[in-house]
Amino acid sequence: MLVTLAEGADGRHPHTRLDDVSPVHGAAQAGHRRSDWPEVELHVVSGKGGTGKSTVAAGLALALASTGKNVLLCEVEGRQGISRMFDVEPLPYEERRIARGLPLGDVAPGSVYALHIDPESALLEYLSMYYKLGRAGRALDRFGIIDFATTIAPGVRDVLLTGKVYEAVQRNARNKDALAYDAVVLDAPPTGRITQFLNVNGELAGLAKVGPIKAQADTVMTLFRSPRTVVHLVTVLEEMPVQETVDGIAHLHEAHLPVGGVIVNMVRPRDLGPADLEAARTGTLDREAVTADLARAGVRVSHELVDSLLDEARDHADRRALEDSQREVVRALDVPSYELPRLPGGIDLGGLYELAARMREQGLA
Amino acid sequence: MTRSRPRVGPLAATAERAPRLDVDALLDDPGTGIIVCCGSGGVGKTTTSAALALRAAERGRKVVVLTIDPARRLAQSMGIETLDNTPRPVDGVGPGTLDAMMLDMKRTFDEVVLSQTTPEKARAILDNPFYIALSSSFSGTQEYMAMEKLGQIHRQAQAEGTYDLIVVDTPPSRSALDFLDAPERLSSFLDGRFIRLLLAPAKGPARLMTAGLGMVTNALTKILGAQVLRDMQTFVAAFDTLFGGFRQRAQRTFSLLQAPGTAFLVIAAPEPDALREASYFVERLTEDEMPLAGLVVNRASPAARTDLSAEEATAAADRLGRTSSESTTAGLLRLHADRVRIVEREAYLRERWATAHPGVETTVVPALATDVHDLVGLRRIGDLLAGGPAG
């Protein structure tokens, strides 16, 4: 069932762990693995702060584009993270083509478009689209109502943001001028808030029991609860983020929202095998052999150097042990998981393409 | 401009130009009455707050730490299973004292309403659907109520001498700035034209506004539905008498934050996004004349103890790799190269930050391999914050 391990260019660092990926969602094939989520139109990407959810969302958009899809990548938190990652001008409330997927095999790659959704623009667009409120819309602004609806009014902000995402997913021949996408990737709020964010009609309950806002929220929920949507959670292999992922999945289940995969980000390199790791932990790595090897490799050897390398190895082995124990927790979650390497140089456009390739190999896209 | 090769040795973590933040001097100064920890999500704000509070208590201060939604483990690390809106003493701390609490924004909001008006009027407000939604789900309520709670504790501490230091964690906002913006936003809303518009029907014709009024009310009814609009009008009418009080309180807390007894600590991780948020915050604090104590950079990668460069290490690993594919030493060299690259990148990011914000005192806390599970773990973080050895 499993594919050959994806390996680094030198064939020695398997950064990704395909054996972690549940084979339930799609048969693996030699070469290009098929996506675990072929029917999904909306990929919601959430994760604890600091785990790199925006990076993963961007990488996923590129990965989907490399399978020939035209993808819309949306951000809703006003950070302009997409423009920084892709090194383009700050995004307006307008869909812009920002990148192309990497050509893989004989599939012509699709494009990635980006949209920065802010609640004010979403509200004005909504008003003009559904109520033809040109002048009244501006009057609303004069009375501070736009500001009220988008910042103070409970739940309305989220209805507006998710409503625009809904519109992009749902888009079809009805609107001739707008582009139709094969998939939408949403860089969503963090795990602690994701269920509340997506469960828009729950948030409105008690406030709007009837009325157009409520109707809008209900429609949006129908999409979010359908098999066309999945919510992926990004984590790193540390205790708090993994615990938050476990809790997040439980909350999504309670709200009947579809849980996708767990994406384990920033996994440490695997330059040492299990036996070496064990020796590093217990301080029994062969000091003389290391010294001899270093000399053979033309390095000027000193005690300080060997001490430092052995210390670094022990520190690394400790962290790997912690990663392994947290990986067990992720594995026990019974959802597909995917692993992405920590890139020592940080994230740039090249880094995003690299992550996209890893996602593709593992069947996330 | 040529940049000399950064020194990658034991001193690398402190070699940048930023002056060092003396955490112990800050905690020991009896003039420090409030410490506010702010920064973007996931940088370790809550843990830092708890560790600072513990350290201050163990240096003799009477401390309360106000956290926002801490991870269960962190509450447990202070020996408290569940934190709530009331300060609970943490055992095993001395010679000072440490209390810990968690903000319950709805309870805090309710208490403000109850304290401001007659029981009947308060009841009418507390039962209003719009109020219920506002007090429990509006994302800015949390920021506003954190400020409110801080004001309450401070007044109580002044009156009764319960605490001489309050450490405040800030909500995990979309942007770190929300903490400073939310009170202003809420009170300007309560003050604004929109409220007067909603009140207009209850207060008779507002002649000047009639031009836009019908159109606006119609639009609102269309969008929100008549019921929501009625709830809002009832809420605003009942709340009307409280507005003045809210505005005053927000103003008072804002001045409290500007006072010299307050110290803001900006928390970040050595990552571009977290440091960018830290920049916004530092600039904003300066603009608002709020006292900035310094920057805490959490989760720094520990430097190696040798100055073998990443390039040399990689080249040596490649040479070894050609002779034996399973070489342990090649693995060690690659690990070293990986670490050096990360340490260099982080040091570079911190240097650039320090250049853009000269004079901001900084302390760098190395990443620990494990999470905090108990007071011992919090103490260790406290040691690291104060510049002690990684232990």
Side-chain angles (χ1 to χ4, degrees):
Chain A
M1 215 50 180
L2 293 174
V3 204
T4 339
L5 263 179
E7 292 183 337
D10 55 1
R12 252 194 324 278
H13 335 109
H15 288 303
T16 52
R17 301 255 296 205
L18 289 179
D19 51 326
D20 280 48
V21 181
S22 152
V24 178
H25 288 272
Q29 292 180 335
H32 293 309
R33 189 191 157 111
R34 227 179 258 159
S35 169
D36 291 343
W37 317 96
E39 309 299 325
V40 171
E41 291 164 61
L42 172 60
H43 294 266
V44 179
V45 180
S46 178
K48 182 175 162 43
T51 58
K53 71 177 172 64
S54 300
T55 312
V56 170
L60 179 56
L62 284 174
L64 289 164
S66 77
T67 67
K69 291 183 169 170
N70 280 319
V71 185
L72 180 67
L73 172 62
C74 302
E75 68 180 344
V76 291
E77 293 188 289
R79 286 219 198 91
Q80 289 289 353
I82 297 176
S83 76
R84 276 193 288 269
M85 280 185 287
F86 286 88
D87 199 15
V88 294
E89 295 280 300
L91 298 167
Y93 184 74
E94 184 188 292
E95 289 147 43
R96 290 244 166 117
R97 207 186 91 149
I98 55 166
R100 244 179 123 66
L102 272 192
L104 284 177
D106 47 8
V107 186
S111 294
V112 175
Y113 295 77
L115 174 63
H116 176 262
I117 307 179
D118 67 281
E120 296 80 20
S121 311
L123 178 58
L124 288 174
E125 185 191 41
Y126 178 80
L127 292 177
S128 70
M129 220 157 122
Y130 290 93
Y131 298 104
K132 312 275 175 250
L133 282 184
R135 265 182 67 214
R138 281 194 296 280
L140 291 177
D141 198 16
R142 239 188 18 251
F143 282 104
I145 289 170
I146 300 292
D147 193 37
F148 164 78
T150 54
T151 60
I152 310 274
V156 174
R157 180 189 182 90
D158 291 350
V159 175
L160 290 167
L161 297 174
T162 52
K164 179 62 191 175
V165 174
Y166 170 85
E167 188 270 326
V169 176
Q170 203 63 8
R171 201 175 280 172
N172 49 31
R174 196 184 54 172
N175 187 343
K176 279 188 225 72
D177 298 333
L179 273 163
Y181 298 101
D182 303 306
V184 173
V185 177
L186 171 61
D187 178 4
T191 315
R193 229 174 76 66
I194 187 64
T195 300
Q196 188 193 28
F197 178 76
L198 295 176
N199 199 7
V200 276
N201 60 5
E203 212 180 332
L204 281 175
L207 178 62
K209 291 191 182 63
V210 291
I213 275 260
K214 167 78 172 140
Q216 164 84 358
D218 285 345
T219 320
V220 170
M221 281 312 293
T222 315
L223 167 68
F224 288 173
R225 291 214 169 113
S226 78
R228 297 160 64 200
T229 301
V230 285
V231 183
H232 304 295
L233 296 178
V234 183
T235 188
V236 292
L237 290 176
E238 289 169 21
E239 290 174 64
M240 270 205 276
V242 168
Q243 184 58 46
E244 203 161 297
T245 305
V246 173
D247 295 345
I249 288 180
H251 292 147
L252 288 168
H253 280 312
E254 277 165 32
H256 306 289
L257 289 161
V259 176
V262 170
I263 298 150
V264 176
N265 197 15
M266 297 190 253
V267 175
R268 280 166 203 284
R270 292 159 186 279
D271 294 305
L272 295 182
D276 285 341
L277 281 177
E278 181 55 28
R281 253 195 302 277
T282 52
T284 53
L285 278 175
D286 188 342
R287 204 187 157 92
E288 258 106 72
V290 170
T291 310
D293 279 347
L294 287 173
R296 196 153 51 83
V299 179
R300 203 152 43 89
V301 191
S302 66
H303 279 294
E304 191 199 28
L305 171 63
V306 181
D307 283 346
S308 183
L309 290 182
L310 294 181
D311 276 2
E312 289 167 42
R314 180 162 51 213
D315 185 58
H316 175 77
D318 284 346
R319 285 162 199 271
R320 285 279 299 274
L322 185 80
E323 281 193 350
D324 287 340
S325 69
Q326 293 305 310
R327 183 177 283 115
E328 286 309 309
V329 179
V330 170
R331 206 185 290 242
L333 283 171
D334 202 27
V335 297
S337 65
Y338 308 86
E339 295 201 0
L340 301 174
R342 180 182 67 178
L343 303 177
I347 296 295
D348 54 13
L349 192 53
L352 289 180
Y353 277 108
E354 182 174 344
L355 295 181
R358 302 304 171 108
M359 293 181 196
R360 179 91 201 275
E361 286 161 4
Q362 296 177 68
L364 180 58
Chain B
M1 193 181 84
T2 56
R3 202 164 68 89
S4 63
R5 197 172 104 188
R7 187 193 150 91
V8 181
L11 294 179
T14 51
E16 72 265 26
R17 271 164 291 174
R20 210 177 77 77
L21 170 68
D22 189 341
V23 169
D24 283 342
L26 178 70
L27 298 179
D28 291 345
D29 181 355
T32 310
I34 296 173
I35 294 176
V36 184
C37 296
C38 39
S40 56
V43 295
K45 262 186 313 228
T46 310
T47 308
T48 304
S49 309
L52 285 171
L54 175 65
R55 190 169 182 88
E58 298 197 321
R59 296 175 74 86
R61 308 282 314 253
K62 290 189 285 181
V63 190
V64 61
V65 57
L66 169 58
T67 66
I68 317 285
D69 195 20
R72 221 176 311 151
R73 273 214 185 82
L74 186 65
Q76 286 166 356
S77 73
M78 293 188 281
I80 298 170
E81 199 54 39
T82 46
L83 287 173
D84 58 17
N85 222 19
T86 317
R88 311 266 172 208
V90 177
D91 290 334
V93 179
T97 57
L98 174 60
D99 284 6
M101 62 176 296
M102 185 181 98
L103 178 75
D104 179 335
M105 61 172 176
K106 172 130 180 65
R107 286 259 310 264
T108 306
F109 210 147
D110 290 356
E111 284 163 15
V112 175
V113 170
L114 285 164
S115 71
Q116 294 277 300
T117 186
T118 62
E120 300 83 60
K121 267 196 173 173
R123 193 37 58 203
I125 295 173
L126 298 185
D127 290 343
N128 182 286
F130 185 79
Y131 170 77
I132 295 171
L134 181 72
S135 61
S136 48
S137 78
F138 162 49
S139 55
T141 307
Q142 211 176 27
E143 283 84 356
Y144 186 82
M145 289 304 141
M147 290 264 208
E148 174 62 37
K149 199 73 205 173
L150 169 62
Q152 279 178 20
I153 298 176
H154 186 254
R155 281 191 295 279
Q156 192 199 350
Q158 298 264 302
E160 300 166 19
T162 33
Y163 307 114
D164 57 28
L165 176 63
I166 306 169
V167 179
V168 196
D169 173 25
T170 54
S173 306
R174 201 160 37 95
S175 140
L177 294 179
D178 282 1
F179 177 68
L180 291 176
D181 286 337
E184 172 61 26
R185 215 197 288 150
L186 191 63
S187 58
S188 80
F189 155 66
L190 294 175
D191 237 4
R193 269 193 290 191
F194 179 51
I195 290 294
R196 278 180 283 146
L197 174 87
L198 285 176
L199 283 173
K203 285 189 166 175
R207 241 169 295 151
L208 288 174
M209 289 165 67
T210 40
L213 189 63
M215 188 161 64
V216 168
T217 316
N218 277 342
L220 276 178
T221 312
K222 263 193 205 162
I223 300 156
L224 294 170
Q227 181 59 44
V228 177
L229 202 59
R230 259 198 308 281
D231 284 344
M232 278 167 55
Q233 278 169 336
T234 327
F235 165 74
V236 167
F239 215 79
D240 192 26
T241 51
L242 303 189
F243 289 165
F246 262 79
R247 211 166 32 246
Q248 261 176 16
R249 297 166 89 87
Q251 194 47 54
R252 228 174 345 167
T253 313
F254 210 74
S255 327
L256 180 62
L257 292 178
Q258 285 174 323
T262 301
F264 279 87
L265 280 180
V266 177
I267 322 286
E271 288 297 327
D273 289 346
L275 285 171
R276 190 178 307 108
E277 285 282 315
S279 294
Y280 290 147
F281 214 93
V282 164
E283 279 150 28
R284 178 62 191 279
L285 289 173
T286 314
E287 242 170 62
D288 287 351
E289 294 172 13
M290 299 221 169
L292 169 70
L295 173 76
V296 175
V297 180
N298 275 332
R299 314 223 168 122
S301 302
R305 290 194 290 137
T306 168
D307 58 6
L308 184 70
S309 75
E311 292 73 19
E312 288 168 312
T314 309
D318 286 347
R319 283 196 288 274
L320 286 176
R322 274 201 297 273
T323 51
S324 73
S325 59
E326 292 284 310
S327 166
T328 302
T329 308
L332 295 181
L333 287 164
R334 286 208 174 83
L335 273 183
H336 176 74
D338 186 66
R339 173 184 292 223
V340 168
R341 282 198 194 99
I342 290 175
V343 168
E344 280 179 356
R345 175 169 172 269
E346 290 179 0
Y348 178 73
L349 287 170
R350 279 189 278 122
E351 257 172 50
R352 301 316 294 162
W353 198 92
T355 308
H357 306 276
V360 175
E361 295 182 359
T362 302
T363 184
V364 178
V365 181
L368 294 181
T370 51
D371 277 348
V372 173
H373 296 107
D374 47 22
L375 288 183
V376 177
L378 279 180
R379 265 181 210 123
R380 195 161 157 226
I381 306 250
D383 287 343
L384 294 171
L385 275 163

